[in-house]
Amino acid sequence: MVEQGLETIYIEEETTPKPALNEKYPRLYGHHNCPFVEKVRLAFAARNAVYQKCEVDLGKKTPWHLAINGGLVPIYEFPDGTQLLESKILMDYAEEAFPEQGYSTLPVDPVQRALMRLAIPLSEQLFSAFYTMFMKKAHDESDVKNTKEKLQKMEDFLVQNHKDGSSFALGTENPTQLDIHFHAPLSRLEFFRNSCFHDEIFEPIGFDDYPLCKALFEAVQARPEFEHALTKRRPHQYYLEKMKETPSGHKVQLFLPHVLE
Ligand SMILES: N[C@@H](CCC(=O)N[C@@H](CS)C(=O)NCC(=O)O)C(=O)O
């Protein structure tokens, strides 16, 4: 058997067999553009943890992937075949498995940790608000209003917790899990800028009117340890272009190969 290292594997066809277990390193099955997988990559990057990437075409799911968890990513697989699912579980795993490496993405103070967990749903609410706009593709005032309200809630949280010298949500030196969660919808909003959805989504929402949200996005993007873990603008915009050609109400599954870094 050929020894597997850290080279990225691509699963591009429904008939592609499951790759042999990597005997040396864990493997993250994912997709470059998936925000849940991105969160896991960032949490692992903060802990300087090494794994092999396996990029999956979610429009051409293999039977073995469907059998694992219905065809979702992320999946984290150990050399012995044990698999862990769910992005939040994996973010905590990264934190607990590598305590001596990199930095912690949890605030030290338990009150701040609790605040962080209370605030995570703000990112999920923002995501679903603009995803609704994006799925409909038609301009709808109530969707714009809803998205702006959710963005304002995030901005208010950032104002309340702001500390001079930090653009992160809890005023920390390094990003926390909350920054990783907030960054996911904020980056997808920012990536509408100058995209094929600029006029329909970016302009009416007015992302630039939420300065602390924007500063958080920029601070996460500027971290050198995240450089190879972040979803890049151009691959995301390929997906937006495909979405633009698709009838309203229809989803585009994250595809391969030309969306890659
Ligand atoms: N609760 C899961 C959600 C993961 C998820 O929805 N991933 C999307 C890609 S962004 C997916 O795998 N979609 C495939 C599908 O819906 O069939 C997590 O947090 O890990």
Side-chain angles (χ1 to χ4, degrees):
M1 191 198 294
V2 183
E3 195 194 340
Q4 297 208 48
L6 292 171
E7 71 291 352
T8 302
I9 303 175
Y10 301 95
I11 309 291
E12 296 181 45
E13 299 301 334
E14 281 152 22
T15 51
T16 309
K18 183 174 181 303
L21 292 174
N22 186 325
E23 290 178 2
K24 228 168 158 180
Y25 300 101
R27 178 184 293 147
L28 181 65
Y29 293 86
H31 190 287
H32 177 77
N33 287 10
C34 168
F36 301 100
V37 177
E38 183 189 36
K39 289 181 200 179
V40 175
R41 291 194 304 259
L42 295 178
F44 276 105
R47 282 302 191 177
N48 210 5
V50 178
Y51 56 88
Q52 179 184 39
K53 283 200 275 185
C54 179
E55 296 287 293
V56 178
D57 189 322
L58 293 171
K60 295 184 188 163
K61 294 195 188 112
T62 58
W64 53 266
H65 185 188
L66 289 166
I68 295 171
N69 63 351
L72 296 177
V73 287
I75 301 166
Y76 190 74
E77 183 178 73
F78 293 89
D80 72 356
T82 305
Q83 291 164 341
L84 296 179
L85 309 176
E86 290 297 327
S87 54
K88 281 186 185 153
I89 303 280
L90 287 166
M91 290 168 82
D92 285 335
Y93 168 78
E95 189 56 37
E96 288 163 7
F98 308 101
E100 309 296 335
Q101 294 175 209
Y103 56 85
S104 173
T105 53
L106 294 177
V108 180
D109 175 12
V111 176
Q112 293 280 300
R113 278 190 197 192
L115 253 181
M116 177 182 100
R117 293 186 176 119
L118 272 172
I120 289 171
L122 296 179
S123 73
E124 291 152 3
Q125 290 160 14
L126 175 59
F127 230 125
S128 49
F130 73 77
Y131 196 73
T132 307
M133 292 179 75
F134 181 50
M135 280 301 284
K136 284 190 195 165
K137 297 203 194 93
H139 188 87
D140 180 328
E141 269 319 315
S142 70
D143 292 335
V144 174
K145 185 165 165 275
N146 185 31
T147 303
K148 285 171 86 85
E149 275 170 18
K150 298 301 183 304
L151 203 43
Q152 189 59 51
K153 275 195 180 173
M154 196 178 275
E155 183 75 11
D156 292 345
F157 179 91
L158 296 176
V159 169
Q160 277 159 21
N161 292 280
H162 180 76
K163 290 197 185 70
D164 285 343
S166 170
S167 296
F168 296 123
L170 298 165
T172 50
E173 184 188 344
N174 291 320
T176 65
Q177 286 187 358
L178 188 57
D179 298 298
I180 294 176
H181 281 288
F182 278 8
H183 172 269
L186 294 176
S187 57
R188 272 53 182 180
L189 273 180
E190 166 58 36
F191 290 169
F192 285 123
R193 190 193 297 272
N194 299 328
S195 78
C196 53
F197 285 95
H198 183 96
D199 295 345
E200 280 135 302
I201 299 186
F202 188 78
E203 271 300 318
I205 291 174
F207 184 52
D208 294 335
D209 299 338
Y210 305 86
L212 295 193
C213 288
K214 211 176 152 196
L216 186 152
F217 159 75
E218 285 166 358
V220 170
Q221 292 276 323
R223 297 288 295 203
E225 74 279 17
F226 288 168
E227 193 189 338
H228 299 292
L230 288 162
T231 299
K232 303 285 188 290
R233 187 182 294 267
R234 188 63 197 128
H236 185 70
Q237 289 188 347
Y238 276 126
Y239 160 71
L240 296 182
E241 284 157 19
K242 191 86 160 242
M243 192 69 185
K244 184 89 178 182
E245 296 162 7
T246 308
S248 165
H250 289 265
K251 228 173 131 170
V252 170
Q253 290 286 12
L254 294 176
F255 56 92
L256 293 176
H258 64 290
V259 291
L260 301 169
E261 298 132 276

